[in-house]
């Protein structure tokens, strides 16, 4: 049973996977056709080797800059700030936005000991210093940590001559961006409002 | 994003993993140190290559026969029949049993179209024909499918001169063996009762 238990232990280390799910996953993988486990291994190897951060917005890409940052049709004067890469996909699926993005790869969470150092804001400031940006849309999640992150960013961005907006509270309080339907996300983007730290 | 999405899709194919969990797992794996994803890949490869069924009881092992079937200290006259390999571990953890096991690798589930052909009963019958077995303990889960499986086995085993018992209903109805505490499992084993199909 040694290698079966090792597989269970390796799966158990994944976030949100408990002992029973790890066992179920291991049983499935041991029984599944070799093609399926090989596809998973290959996808994992490929992702580890190829996925990198876009040099401009920090979203995941396989090139120097991502598809959106390389697209001449996108409005380079607007930057939408999100917490994580999947949030870019969630906003893109809403078809309500034509600007660029900036991925923080984190959020403020004092309880979890995550302060400003856990946010990739230096890269955002560099983009603002380079000029040509008129508006920054704060699209962090509308929950406690996301609001705290938005407030922190609003304070930080006071130093730059840009309009700072926040996606509208069409998104329900306590919700998570990537669980919402496209229509809600689209409305929230369109109704974005001025946002300043008092 | 292509290889990130491919990884998400490969994880999505695992049982009980929804789109959000697949995304969370992919994010984690892409960010985790290479050592962690390599450990997972290695464990998967090793398990696929090494895990095989014990020639006697069909439990997972890396040898011709498993640790328990090779142990001269185990009582070879009692066979405890379980649905899946992790159930052997659950019963062993209770320290209430010294006999051998037989893993069915399945259960009857007419709604899911799983009939007797999905149970590894031929190997169990071969063991009974070989002789030396005095008792078969039916330790399938105490839920609808597990009870149906136990009844089917009781009927099947009428052809053999063995005592057929069922683990006691100390285990709560609708429960699952491997979620229970050792004490409950141990009591249920000790209070096993005669079981015959009427």
């Amino acid at each position: 049973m040694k290698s079966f238990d090792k597989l269970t232990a390796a799966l158990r280390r994944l976030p949100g996977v408990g002992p029973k799910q790890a066992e179920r996953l291991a049983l499935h993988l041991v029984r599944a056709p070799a093609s399926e486990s090989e596809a998973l291994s290959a996808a994992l190897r490929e992702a580890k080797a190829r996925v990198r951060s876009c040099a401009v917005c920090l979203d995941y890409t396989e090139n120097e800059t991502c598809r959106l940052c390389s697209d001449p049709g996108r409005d380079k004067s607007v930057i939408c700030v999100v917490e994580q890469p999947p949030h870019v996909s969630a906003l893109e699926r809403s078809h309500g936005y034509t600007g660029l993005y900036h991925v923080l790869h984190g959020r403020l969470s004092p309880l979890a000991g995550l302060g400003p150092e856990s946010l990739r804001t230096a890269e955002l400031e560099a983009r603002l210093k380079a000029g040509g940006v008129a508006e920054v849309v704060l699209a962090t999640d509308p929950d406690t940590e996301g609001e705290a992150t938005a407030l922190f960013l609003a304070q930080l961005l006071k130093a730059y001559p840009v309009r700072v907006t926040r996606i509208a509270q069409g998104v329900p309080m306590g919700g998570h961006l990537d669980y919402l339907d496209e229509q809600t996300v689209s409305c929230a983007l369109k109704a974005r409002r001025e946002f300043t730290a008092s």
Side-chain angles (χ1 to χ4, degrees), chain A:
Chain A
M1 289 280 284
K2 219 169 112 260
S3 57
F4 181 76
D5 292 345
K6 254 197 240 170
L7 176 59
T8 309
L11 291 165
R12 179 78 181 81
R13 250 175 269 136
L14 297 173
V17 175
K20 301 325 284 177
Q21 193 182 14
E23 210 171 80
R24 206 158 51 234
L25 293 177
L27 271 182
H28 171 84
L29 287 167
V30 162
R31 284 172 189 175
S35 61
E36 185 180 330
S37 66
E38 276 156 23
L40 176 60
S41 286
L44 181 55
R45 198 167 48 240
E46 200 183 302
K48 288 302 270 189
R50 293 203 197 162
V51 172
R52 48 190 289 187
S53 285
C54 169
V56 179
C57 73
L58 305 180
D59 189 13
Y60 286 143
T61 177
E62 284 162 40
N63 305 309
E64 176 67 18
T65 53
C66 74
R67 190 174 51 84
L68 298 172
C69 289
S70 315
D71 182 349
R74 305 289 297 205
D75 179 357
K76 287 177 172 42
S77 70
V78 191
I79 296 179
C80 179
V81 179
V82 296
E83 295 174 12
Q84 300 291 359
H87 296 181
V88 172
S89 314
L91 288 161
E92 281 300 295
R93 280 196 297 270
S94 82
H95 300 295
Y97 181 69
T98 56
L100 298 181
Y101 292 92
H102 185 83
V103 181
L104 293 170
H105 287 277
R107 57 199 331 224
L108 292 185
S109 179
L111 286 176
L114 298 173
E117 73 288 349
S118 60
L119 305 176
R120 301 285 292 271
T121 48
E123 291 87 347
L124 176 61
E125 291 187 81
R127 291 172 75 179
L128 297 177
K129 279 170 192 152
V133 179
E135 178 179 356
V136 173
V137 185
L138 303 176
T140 52
D141 273 342
D143 57 4
T144 316
E145 289 92 349
E147 286 292 341
T149 308
L151 274 167
F152 168 77
L153 290 172
Q155 189 68 49
L156 184 79
L157 298 180
K158 273 184 172 174
Y160 301 90
V162 290
R163 194 177 156 218
V164 176
T165 56
R166 176 92 173 100
I167 48 167
Q169 289 295 5
V171 288
M173 282 303 291
H176 291 272
L177 260 192
D178 42 8
Y179 279 85
L180 298 170
D181 63 281
E182 286 90 319
Q183 208 53 41
T184 310
V185 172
S186 177
C187 288
L189 263 171
K190 277 181 197 130
R192 64 184 183 262
R193 57 185 169 71
E194 298 298 325
F195 192 74
T196 39
S198 51

